Amino acid sequence: MSEVVRHQIHVEVRYAETDQMGVVHHANYLVWFELARTALCAQGGFHYADIERLGYFLLVTGAELSYRRGTHYGETVEVVAWVERFASRGLRFAYEVRHGEDLCATGATEHIWVNRETGKPCRAPETVRAAFARLAGLDAPVA
């Protein structure tokens, strides 16, 4: 088994993402997760738009988020994403949000592959299996 690929992005906290006290509203962490996740997919060789052009969606079926420390307007945070689990019909991405050495939040999103034409769940497309297996640190794609 190879090492899991982790991809990081940096986000400067915008005023619009905060409440009156300058603390980031909880929903914005999910937006940051999406930014990091799509950047990770692109690093793996498939921008999310490429997946859609192939005729598939990577549908979010669940999200988890745990807060450790608030983040504030004017800070720059690092959001790290990686594939925690890759199976034939779905996958789980995990995330960390940090400000400097401080762990601010952790989370995960669950996804299933959906055939764009039928709208039904399906197996991971053959064309992307090897790329996602590499991201997940697997030596061979799932069947």
Side-chain angles (χ1 to χ4, degrees):
M1 197 159 161
S2 303
E3 192 166 324
V4 173
V5 175
R6 292 175 174 251
H7 186 78
Q8 68 183 27
I9 63 166
H10 292 92
V11 176
E12 183 176 344
V13 177
R14 297 167 294 187
Y15 188 78
E17 295 172 314
T18 64
D19 60 20
Q20 189 174 12
M21 297 178 294
V23 177
V24 172
H25 184 272
H26 62 275
N28 290 295
Y29 289 86
L30 295 173
V31 174
W32 297 348
F33 288 179
E34 180 182 348
L35 291 170
R37 179 176 68 244
T38 56
L40 174 67
C41 291
Q43 179 183 337
F46 288 92
H47 189 280
Y48 191 80
D50 297 333
I51 294 169
E52 289 185 353
R53 279 191 285 279
L54 290 170
Y56 300 92
F57 293 122
L58 198 49
L59 185 75
V60 177
T61 59
E64 300 169 15
L65 180 53
S66 295
Y67 304 99
R68 310 277 194 239
R69 169 203 179 277
T71 53
H72 304 86
Y73 171 63
E75 293 179 343
T76 297
V77 296
E78 175 185 88
V79 184
V80 181
W82 65 96
V83 176
E84 188 175 76
R85 179 182 44 79
F86 179 51
S88 62
R89 292 185 177 266
L91 63 161
R92 178 181 171 95
F93 291 91
Y95 311 91
E96 288 182 353
V97 178
R98 292 184 177 276
H99 178 253
E101 295 297 315
D102 293 333
L103 179 62
C104 303
T106 59
T109 53
E110 295 277 344
H111 303 257
I112 60 169
W113 294 98
V114 173
N115 181 296
R116 185 178 181 159
E117 188 175 303
T118 66
K120 295 186 188 256
C122 62
R123 298 175 74 74
E126 183 69 38
T127 52
V128 303
R129 285 185 198 163
F132 278 91
R134 277 191 307 278
L135 290 175
L138 302 173
D139 292 328
V142 294

